């Protein structure tokens, strides 16, 4: 059963070494992520599942001990998902799960075993919800750390350029995540999310499936659009 969830954005810029001189710009987001992870720890889960968007090579389950790296951004920062494993998996974590692993290391997570799940952007809403239901019954007390960004089209300098629909989409996402509105998350338009380059759509709908019978309440901890990309942090308990 799902007992808690934290929703965080997944830009590698959250890692200060990657952001370099711009690191202070995301200090408030980092603080909110730390607070959200505190809600997970307080729930005393038996299992923490980290869910985030992934390209083809990163899709599927990533076991505890899987490693990730930000060397592709020119910095010597490596991370590990949860506790060390006897055999280190060869497949690297996708960046969304690597950011999650960095957040967990930053908060010294040691409360429960951890596994990761990379979700492909095209996964249909119905399938996302079904995956969430499967996750929710993996242990008696399951927590989710859900990684994903909202639209990337909030300004002309955003990665997806400006789209007038982006602000409204992001506002509904923030409202749904902040109020643990499972029905609204399930109803997010996958095609519109794709057009707005909202990488979090599929992971959020996995969360919606996992939370169907949980009766959790939500709290919005952070909402902003630095660099023209919507970032939301929320905690469910």
């Amino acid at each position: 059963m799902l007992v808690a969830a934290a929703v965080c954005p997944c830009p590698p810029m959250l890692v200060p070494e990657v952001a370099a001189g711009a690191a202070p710009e995301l200090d408030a987001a980092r603080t909110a992520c730390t607070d959200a992870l505190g809600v997970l720890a307080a729930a005393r889960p038996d299992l923490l599942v980290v869910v985030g968007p992934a390209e083809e090579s990163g899709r599927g389950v990533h076991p505890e001990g899987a490693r990730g790296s930000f060397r592709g951004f020119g910095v010597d920062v490596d991370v590990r998902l949860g506790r060390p494993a006897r055999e280190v998996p060869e497949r690297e974590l996708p960046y969304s799960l690597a950011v999650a692993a960095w957040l967990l290391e930053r908060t010294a997570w040691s409360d429960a075993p951890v596994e990761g799940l990379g979700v492909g952007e095209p996964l249909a809403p119905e399938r996302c919800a079904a995956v969430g239901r499967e996750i929710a019954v993996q242990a008696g007390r399951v927590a989710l750390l859900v990684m994903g960004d909202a639209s990337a089209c909030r300004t002309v300098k955003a990665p997806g350029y400006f789209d007038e629909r982006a602000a409204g989409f992001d506002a509904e996402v923030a409202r749904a995540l902040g109020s643990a509105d499972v029905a609204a998350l399930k109803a997010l338009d996958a095609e519109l999310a794709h057009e707005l380059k909202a990488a979090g759509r599929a992971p959020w709908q996995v969360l919606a499936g996992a939370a169907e019978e949980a009766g959790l309440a939500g709290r919005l901890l952070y909402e902003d659009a630095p660099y023209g990309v919507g970032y939301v942090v929320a905690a469910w308990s």
Side-chain angles (χ1 to χ4, degrees):
M1 177 180 175
L2 186 70
V3 295
V7 178
C8 296
C10 59
M13 290 281 284
L14 273 180
V15 179
E17 291 87 344
V18 174
E25 296 174 12
L26 289 180
D27 279 348
R30 294 184 192 97
T31 298
C33 290
T34 298
D35 292 343
L37 265 64
V39 172
L40 299 185
R44 297 184 172 275
D46 302 317
L47 173 68
L48 173 64
V49 180
V50 182
V51 182
E55 300 294 335
E56 186 72 34
S57 63
R59 294 179 192 175
V61 175
H62 294 264
E64 188 161 44
R67 293 190 174 275
S69 172
F70 296 98
R71 294 174 185 268
F73 294 91
V75 297
D76 187 17
V77 177
D78 298 314
V79 292
R80 183 186 66 238
L81 188 64
R83 301 162 183 165
R86 289 185 179 180
E87 295 184 12
V88 178
E90 293 183 7
R91 193 166 58 131
E92 272 207 353
L93 296 169
Y95 280 126
S96 66
L97 300 189
V99 172
W102 178 82
L103 288 172
L104 291 168
E105 288 185 1
R106 182 171 181 259
T107 55
W109 178 269
S110 61
D111 295 83
V114 183
E115 68 177 43
L117 177 66
V119 181
E121 187 269 344
L123 196 65
E126 298 80 9
R127 181 57 189 149
C128 290
V131 170
R133 294 184 201 107
E134 294 167 5
I135 290 173
V137 297
Q138 284 186 226
R141 297 178 63 82
V142 176
L144 278 177
L145 172 53
V146 183
M147 310 298 293
D149 302 338
S151 75
C153 302
R154 292 281 290 273
T155 68
V156 294
K157 293 185 178 181
Y161 196 66
F162 175 73
D163 190 310
E164 62 184 7
R165 302 171 296 174
F169 177 87
D170 288 358
E172 173 58 12
V173 164
R175 187 204 65 77
L177 291 173
S179 60
D181 190 335
V182 170
L185 291 176
K186 287 183 179 179
L188 289 176
D189 187 323
E191 183 175 349
L192 176 60
H194 174 71
E195 292 172 0
L196 296 177
K197 303 185 184 303
R201 190 275 307 172
W204 298 329
Q205 291 182 323
V206 170
L207 167 61
E212 283 177 347
E213 306 296 330
L216 302 181
R219 184 160 53 103
L220 186 64
L221 303 178
Y222 175 89
E223 179 193 5
D224 202 355
Y227 321 118
V229 181
Y231 297 151
V232 177
V233 181
W236 293 19
S237 61

